[in-house]
């Protein structure tokens, strides 16, 4: 990562509760505002302002889970001057309101985020493999198609995949509207023998500019890695990703037919040709 961007991200994490301007963030990196804004976006995929907003919501989630502070106090603590603005942005990004986020964390936990199909578009599918870095045990991974480089509400399609240590697993995202998407993966992996439960590791993966066509399948392989400072925080309220202790590696990936694509068109009153099954490359 560029050293100037790294300094700017450190500044944002340290001063997220302040009314930071783009000029102030650029000054922390010792760059002009316009050059810095372009460099930051090229490095992280989003603008400094969106990165700051994501950190504020991430910190708000942490405070909701770890403190008994009132939601109003939390909104001010993370840099918002208006409770209404904070609540609206939190709900839009996380998928539930701040109060519901706190309640769910203390009771049954978060449900699997259910995508909402958009009847205005044709639908295709994304399929491929998910692999872990070397030295990690079994993992449970959330994979979804998103419009932005940030893992935030709502996904277009999503699944949870159990990935065994040392071998990729297959995934399928059905019913993805045609267009360009980011495929994000967020996982939790066990340690390795002889003490696999000594520590759990959070892993992330991202594949940019994934183009989905109606009634077609786009093949995308995703490799997870440890998080980096330039990664925007994860905002979506995810379900529990507790790894399963025993997993059997699959022999290969099945052929995928994007049935959701043709079904979506029929519901809209039109008709589209359904593509033939597309074989997904087996794990290597």
């Amino acid at each position: 990562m560029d050293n100037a961007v790294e300094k700017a991200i450190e500044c944002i994490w340290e001063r997220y509760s302040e009314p930071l301007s783009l000029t102030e963030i650029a000054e922390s990196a010792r760059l002009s505002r316009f050059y810095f804004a372009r460099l930051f976006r090229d490095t992280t995929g989003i603008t400094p302002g969106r990165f700051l907003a994501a950190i504020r919501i991430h910190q708000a989630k942490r405070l909701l889970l770890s403190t008994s502070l009132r939601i109003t106090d939390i909104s001010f603590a993370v840099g918002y001057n208006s409770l209404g603005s904070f609540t609206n942005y939190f709900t839009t990004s996380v998928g539930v309101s701040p109060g519901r986020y706190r309640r769910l964390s203390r009771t049954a936990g978060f449900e699997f985020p259910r995508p909402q199909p958009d009847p205005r578009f044709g639908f295709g599918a994304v399929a491929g493999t998910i692999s872990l870095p070397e030295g990690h045990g079994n993992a449970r991974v959330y994979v979804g198609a998103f419009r932005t480089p940030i893992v935030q509400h709502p996904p277009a399609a999503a699944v949870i995949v159990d990935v065994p240590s040392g071998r990729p697993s297959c995934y399928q995202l059905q019913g993805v509207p045609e267009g360009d998407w980011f495929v994000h993966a967020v996982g939790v992996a066990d340690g390795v023998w002889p003490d696999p439960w000594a520590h759990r590791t959070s892993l992330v993966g991202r594949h940019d500019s994934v183009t989905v066509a109606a009634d077609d399948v786009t093949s995308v392989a995703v490799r997870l890695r440890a998080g980096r400072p330039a990664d925007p925080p994860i905002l979506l309220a995810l379900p529990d990703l507790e790894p399963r202790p025993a997993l059997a590696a699959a022999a290969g990936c099945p052929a995928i037919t994007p049935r959701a694509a043709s079904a979506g068109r029929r519901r809209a009153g039109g008709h589209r040709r359904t593509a033939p099954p597309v074989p997904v490359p087996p794990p290597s």
Side-chain angles (χ1 to χ4, degrees):
M1 180 174 62
D2 186 277
N3 189 52
V5 174
E6 185 175 0
K7 289 180 179 179
I9 290 175
E10 290 176 358
C11 171
I12 294 172
W13 278 105
E14 291 172 359
R15 300 176 57 189
Y16 65 86
S17 61
E18 303 175 19
L20 273 177
S21 67
L22 175 60
T23 298
E24 289 173 305
I25 299 173
E27 287 176 351
S28 72
R30 300 182 182 278
L31 295 174
S32 71
R33 187 176 69 168
F34 298 107
Y35 176 72
F36 166 73
R38 184 171 64 251
L39 177 64
F40 191 97
R41 183 162 190 164
D42 289 344
T43 303
T44 66
I46 59 176
T47 65
R50 291 198 68 189
F51 203 100
L52 170 61
I55 287 177
R56 285 173 170 166
I57 297 301
H58 171 82
Q59 294 293 70
K61 289 170 63 181
R62 182 184 61 81
L63 291 172
L64 285 166
L65 298 184
S66 62
T67 75
S68 58
L69 287 172
R70 297 183 307 160
I71 293 174
T72 300
D73 295 333
I74 290 175
S75 70
F76 292 139
V78 298
Y80 281 86
N81 294 322
S82 163
L83 175 61
S85 297
F86 165 72
T87 300
N88 289 338
Y89 195 79
F90 186 101
T91 304
T92 300
S93 303
V94 179
V96 293
S97 68
R100 182 167 173 77
Y101 182 84
R102 174 176 270 171
R103 289 193 300 273
L104 287 174
S105 70
R106 294 173 176 174
T107 55
F110 302 105
E111 298 179 355
F112 184 80
R114 299 294 179 184
Q116 297 297 320
D118 190 334
R120 297 174 299 170
F121 297 95
F123 297 90
V126 178
T129 58
I130 304 170
S131 55
L132 307 176
E134 291 185 7
H136 289 80
N138 297 338
R140 174 156 280 196
V141 182
Y142 174 91
V143 189
F146 294 83
R147 282 293 188 192
T148 73
I150 303 176
V151 181
Q152 63 184 12
H153 183 79
V159 293
I160 290 179
V161 181
D162 291 306
V163 184
S165 176
R167 187 174 180 85
S169 282
C170 307
Y171 76 92
Q172 306 172 19
L173 298 176
Q174 296 276 9
V176 181
E178 55 190 340
D180 292 329
W181 298 90
F182 293 84
V183 174
H184 288 281
V186 181
V188 176
D190 279 329
V192 294
W193 188 90
D195 196 1
W197 294 279
H199 60 85
R200 290 273 166 79
T201 304
S202 296
L203 301 171
V204 296
R206 189 175 98 190
H207 204 292
D208 299 353
S209 301
V210 176
T211 300
V212 175
D215 302 333
D216 201 1
V217 178
T218 302
S219 180
V220 176
V222 180
R223 184 172 182 81
L224 273 72
R225 56 170 174 78
R228 300 167 183 162
D231 294 329
I234 295 164
L235 304 185
L236 180 66
L238 295 173
D240 183 24
L241 295 177
E242 183 79 8
R244 294 173 57 186
L247 294 174
C253 299
I256 309 303
T257 301
R259 297 185 181 87
S262 57
R265 284 295 187 179
R266 286 197 296 271
R267 285 195 297 271
H271 176 73
R272 297 280 294 195
R273 177 183 60 83
T274 301
V278 177
V280 178
S284 56

